[in-house]
């Protein structure tokens, strides 16, 4: 038995045989050609064929994983059409009278060196895309064809790395798990495996020389381990865990379509938190009542430039369309503190968590904010979009926001562009907002309580600091009292109050939140059904007795 420790990028257990995937890399020789025009034509034919392959893959990715998966292939298509790359290849063919295979390989090396020298993770990742395109062209030119990657029986695929196009070619039904020696958790391949819901590991130092081919192995996505040739006891234990996992999943799936209702008949809505539209399939599979928090900043964090209005609109539209009439709460850009975007060139701050973050940044940069507002307002014409503003601490910010929204609406009117009338709510995540929630409630359509920041700011404990873990107590009565107070103030003003911080998923508090009258809990998609289960087993009458609350250290107000 051999254990390899990697990094899990998608949880779950897989048990099966390993197939080591080796890329078939043709030997590239430099050959002197006399007819460079014929060689250029051969290269252009290969480009055309590659374009055809990529389009077929894009269509497949679209069907398997939706637009986000297809977008990865679109990036390849753009790279294949890149004039600089093509000019480099053609110049080498012409000026050196070289064969096309050599020219592609030389141009690839030139661009790879350039990308890898850049101090930017995004551009470094583009190097892998460039390699994929070049290998595809060389395979077509040399007639070696795409690498065989079509296993007959479901296998654990072990590879040095997998490019997104290779991943997209696989039939998910034939793959139990991906394990790669290289790759990063944020790589496109990891993202695709997450979308397919397949346990996956990256950075796993397993040998690729074929010694593991056909061997039985266990992948534990949560622990990040690959166990090869497990002994009987381990195999039996992991098989039992896999059975348990499958049974629990089946039992939870039976809760789809069921209400979130307690034994004593109290109901609550369970929404999903997402950071990306790649998570939409999980939102639907887990039967969310809607999206309660779309952290839009992740759209910015993935890019090297701010997303355009059109790009954002397309993303929001996909969320609205996927949710088919269910509410989609999209939070405006919450950049700052631990979430930094290099292209925003924010000056360093001594205390970034207390600095120019979230709404403060948006109000300071109207161009950035208005682009997002335009996209959100346009998307709201297509379905029930609600806009959520983060890090509000006072009424003045609300007034500034309202002014900017009016300006954006006026501009859309002039241009004759349709927009809806979205609900507009605020995050309650500063103690200031909680304490004046009675005043704020009169000005907005809903509250969403961000317990992650509310805990940090209330207890004066940096949420990022592992050393202060013991002080970061989201069950602290000060936090729970604030939640209760915010909910009461919301209801007095006739608006709804939900919780979207991590505390919402804490099933030990579900009864307390219900007793407080919280209208909705928004949690990561995988937490929805387990939370539904707890709610259906809860009787909130227990939670209303003062004695119970006091014993549990919960607030009595
Ligand atoms: C929160 O603060 O609770 C919250 C939901 O926002 P974030 O975790 O993105 O800061
Ligand atoms: Mg927050």
């Amino acid at each position: 038995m051999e254990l390899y420790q990697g990094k899990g990028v998608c949880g779950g257990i897989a048990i099966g045989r390993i197939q080591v995937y080796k890329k078939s890399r043709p030997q590239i020789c430099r050959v002197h050609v006399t007819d460079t025009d014929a060689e250029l034509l051969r290269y252009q034919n290969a480009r055309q064929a590659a374009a055809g392959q990529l389009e077929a893959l894009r269509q497949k990715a679209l069907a398997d994983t939706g637009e986000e998966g297809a977008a990865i292939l679109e990036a390849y298509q753009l790279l294949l059409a890149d004039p600089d790359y093509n000019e480099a290849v053609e110049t080498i063919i012409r000026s050196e009278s070289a064969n096309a295979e050599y020219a592609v390989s030389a141009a690839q090396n030139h661009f790879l060196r350039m990308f890898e020298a850049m101090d930017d993770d995004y551009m470094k990742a583009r190097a892998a895309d460039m390699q994929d395109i070049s290998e595809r062209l060389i395979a077509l030119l040399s007639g070696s064809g795409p690498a065989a990657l079509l296993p007959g029986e479901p296998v654990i695929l072990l590879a040095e790395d997998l490019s997104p196009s290779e991943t997209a070619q696989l039939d998910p039904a034939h793959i139990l798990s991906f394990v790669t020696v290289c790759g990063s958790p944020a790589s496109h391949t990891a993202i695709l495996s997450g979308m397919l819901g397949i346990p996956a590991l990256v950075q796993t130092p397993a040998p690729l020389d074929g010694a593991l081919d056909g061997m039985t192995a266990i992948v534990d996505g949560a622990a990040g381990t690959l166990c090869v040739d497990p002994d009987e006891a381990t195999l039996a234990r992991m098989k039992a865990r896999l059975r348990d996992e499958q049974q629990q999943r089946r039992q939870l799936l039976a809760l789809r379509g069921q209400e979130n209702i307690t034994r004593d008949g109290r109901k609550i809505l369970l929404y999903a938190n997402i950071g990306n539209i790649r998570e939409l399939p999980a939102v639907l599979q887990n039967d969310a009542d809607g999206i309660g928090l779309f952290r839009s900043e992740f759209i910015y964090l993935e890019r090297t430039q701010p997303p355009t209005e059109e790009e954002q609109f397309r993303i929001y539209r996909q969320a609205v369309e996927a949710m088919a009439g269910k509410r989609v709460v999209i939070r405006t850009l919450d950049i700052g503190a631990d979430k930094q975007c290099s292209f925003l060139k924010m000056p360093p701050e001594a205390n970034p968590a207390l600095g120019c973050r979230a709404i403060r940044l948006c109000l300071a940069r109207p161009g950035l904010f208005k682009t997002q507002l335009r996209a959100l307002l346009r998307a709201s014409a297509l379905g029930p979009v609600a806009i959520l503003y983060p890090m509000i601490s006072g009424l003045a910010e609300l007034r500034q926001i309202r002014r900017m929204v009016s300006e954006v609406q006026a501009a859309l009117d002039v241009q004759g562009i349709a927009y809806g009338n979205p609900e507009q709510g605020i995050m309650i995540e500063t103690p200031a907002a909680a304490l004046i929630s009675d005043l704020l409630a009169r000005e907005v359509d809903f509250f969403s309580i961000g317990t992650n920041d509310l805990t940090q700011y209330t207890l004066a404990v940096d949420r990022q600091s592992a050393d202060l873990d013991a002080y970061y107590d989201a069950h602290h009565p000060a936090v729970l009292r604030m939640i209760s107070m915010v909910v009461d103030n919301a209801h007095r003003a006739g608006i709804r109050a939900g919780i979207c911080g991590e505390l919402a998923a804490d099933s030990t508090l579900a009864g307390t939140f219900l007793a407080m009258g919280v209208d909705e809990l928004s949690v990561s998609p995988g937490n929805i059904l387990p939370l539904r289960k707890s709610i259906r087993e809860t009787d909130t009458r227990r939670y209303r007795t003062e004695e119970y609350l006091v014993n549990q250290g919960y607030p009595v107000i």
Side-chain angles (χ1 to χ4, degrees):
M1 181 163 99
E2 202 74 52
L3 195 69
Y4 300 96
Q5 184 68 54
K7 275 195 182 156
V9 290
C10 187
I13 290 168
I15 302 177
R17 288 188 190 285
I18 291 179
Q19 178 174 327
V20 179
Y21 167 63
K22 287 183 222 77
K23 292 180 201 260
S24 59
R25 288 203 171 103
Q27 197 72 29
I28 297 159
C29 305
R30 182 183 172 148
V31 179
H32 181 83
V33 292
T34 42
D35 187 349
T36 48
D37 284 343
E39 202 58 18
L40 286 168
L41 186 64
R42 208 164 70 81
Y43 167 62
Q44 287 308 338
N45 287 342
R47 266 186 76 204
Q48 229 167 39
Q53 286 181 352
L54 288 175
E55 179 53 21
L57 283 173
R58 195 189 66 81
Q59 300 282 356
K60 183 172 181 303
L62 192 63
D64 286 350
T65 56
E67 272 216 31
E68 196 75 6
I72 297 172
L73 274 305
E74 273 166 28
Y76 278 28
Q77 289 174 318
L78 284 177
L79 210 52
L80 181 68
D82 184 74
D84 290 342
Y85 177 78
N86 280 302
E87 202 185 305
V89 176
E90 291 187 346
T91 306
I92 296 168
I93 295 177
R94 238 186 256 111
S95 64
E96 299 183 28
S97 298
N99 55 324
E101 290 89 332
Y102 171 81
V104 169
S105 168
Q108 169 199 329
N109 290 340
H110 165 75
F111 281 99
L112 286 186
R113 276 196 301 274
M114 210 169 80
F115 282 154
E116 278 164 2
M118 289 181 188
D119 193 20
D120 179 327
D121 287 346
Y122 178 82
M123 290 317 285
K124 281 186 179 152
R126 297 288 68 75
D129 296 355
M130 167 70 67
Q131 200 157 354
D132 184 279
I133 294 295
S134 303
E135 279 172 8
R136 182 174 297 281
L137 283 168
I138 292 169
L140 282 160
L141 286 162
S142 62
S144 59
L149 228 186
L150 294 167
E153 63 168 298
V155 293
I156 295 169
L157 201 71
L158 173 61
E160 183 185 10
D161 203 355
L162 286 167
S163 70
S165 73
E166 285 168 325
T167 315
Q169 279 174 65
L170 299 170
D171 181 348
H174 288 151
I175 305 295
L176 296 169
S177 168
F178 297 110
V179 179
T180 63
V181 175
C182 307
S184 77
S187 67
H188 285 135
T189 301
I191 291 164
L192 281 167
S193 70
M195 283 195 281
L196 297 170
I198 293 173
L201 312 181
V202 294
Q203 296 172 23
T204 314
L208 290 164
D209 57 7
L212 303 187
D213 233 344
M215 295 191 77
T216 300
I218 303 167
V219 174
D220 184 341
T225 53
L226 171 71
C227 175
V228 179
D229 192 21
D231 58 39
E232 279 189 18
T234 307
L235 193 59
R237 186 165 43 82
M238 294 306 278
K239 276 188 177 167
R241 262 188 60 190
L242 181 60
R243 269 196 305 275
D244 278 359
E245 219 177 59
Q246 287 166 340
Q247 197 187 343
Q248 275 171 22
R249 223 175 289 146
R250 270 196 301 275
Q251 281 170 354
L252 286 174
L253 288 180
L255 289 174
R256 287 192 305 186
Q258 305 275 332
E259 276 187 311
N260 312 305
I261 185 166
T262 61
R263 291 208 168 133
D264 54 323
R266 279 181 167 243
K267 290 185 194 171
I268 193 162
L269 291 169
L270 290 186
Y271 287 156
N273 288 352
I274 62 168
N276 204 296
I277 49 172
R278 290 188 289 273
E279 290 164 80
L280 287 172
V283 174
L284 299 174
Q285 273 154 25
N286 288 287
D287 195 29
D289 293 313
I291 292 173
L293 173 64
F294 185 162
R295 289 180 162 101
S296 71
E297 58 273 14
F298 285 98
I299 302 170
Y300 294 68
L301 291 170
E302 282 181 358
R303 287 172 164 71
T304 49
Q305 291 296 322
T308 62
E309 175 188 328
E310 218 42 49
E311 279 175 306
Q312 290 190 60
F313 173 68
R314 267 179 32 202
I315 291 169
Y316 304 147
R317 184 182 62 197
Q318 268 191 68
V320 174
E321 284 173 357
M323 295 314 291
K326 290 182 176 170
R327 192 161 170 249
V328 178
V329 181
I330 304 176
R331 182 172 73 182
T332 58
L333 186 57
D334 184 3
I335 285 291
D338 56 316
K339 292 178 269 190
Q340 293 287 338
C341 263
S342 55
F343 59 78
L344 290 177
K345 300 194 170 45
M346 292 162 65
E349 295 173 297
N351 291 304
L354 306 178
C356 185
R357 58 171 292 199
I359 200 68
R360 300 172 188 172
L361 175 78
C362 288
L363 294 175
R365 302 197 189 190
L368 184 75
F369 192 35
K370 284 185 174 177
T371 302
Q372 181 168 37
L373 288 174
R374 280 176 68 94
L376 286 169
L377 284 168
R378 286 172 57 198
S380 73
L382 310 172
V385 167
I387 306 179
L388 177 60
Y389 302 107
M391 282 294 292
I392 298 294
S393 56
L395 286 163
E397 293 144 23
L398 288 187
R399 308 221 160 110
Q400 268 181 281
I401 292 170
R402 202 167 305 130
R403 202 175 322 120
M404 287 206 198
V405 170
S406 303
E407 285 165 11
V408 169
Q409 285 168 329
L412 290 170
D413 284 337
V414 170
Q415 292 171 288
I417 297 174
Y419 59 88
N421 182 23
E423 283 183 84
Q424 293 180 68
I426 55 171
M427 296 277 300
I428 301 285
E429 52 186 345
T430 63
L435 290 169
I436 60 160
S437 51
D438 54 336
L439 305 177
L440 295 169
R442 296 184 207 146
E443 310 256 344
V444 298
D445 299 320
F446 65 97
F447 283 161
S448 190
I449 305 173
T451 50
N452 307 336
D453 278 316
L454 188 61
T455 305
Q456 141 164 286
Y457 297 126
T458 302
L459 304 181
V461 178
D462 181 354
R463 65 190 263 195
Q464 298 296 113
S465 165
D467 296 341
L468 295 177
D469 250 9
Y471 291 98
Y472 187 86
D473 175 15
H475 285 219
H476 193 293
V479 177
L480 295 173
R481 280 189 184 186
M482 281 204 197
I483 296 173
S484 183
M485 188 179 123
V486 169
V487 174
D488 286 347
N489 282 332
H491 291 171
R492 271 190 213 111
I495 65 168
R496 294 188 342 187
I499 302 177
C500 65
E502 296 310 300
L503 202 60
D506 185 337
S507 60
T508 66
L509 285 175
T512 305
F513 291 150
L514 277 149
M516 286 177 181
V518 172
D519 300 295
E520 57 226 16
L521 296 171
S522 195
V523 298
S524 62
N527 280 326
I528 290 173
L529 295 176
L531 196 53
R532 178 170 296 167
K533 183 167 178 284
S534 316
I535 288 167
R536 292 174 67 85
E537 288 163 0
T538 298
D539 187 330
T540 63
R541 282 170 298 200
R542 288 180 61 216
Y543 294 84
R544 281 187 224 138
T545 67
E546 194 151 308
E547 192 190 6
Y548 178 84
L549 293 174
V550 171
N551 283 343
Q552 298 296 311
Y554 294 153
V556 180
I557 295 178

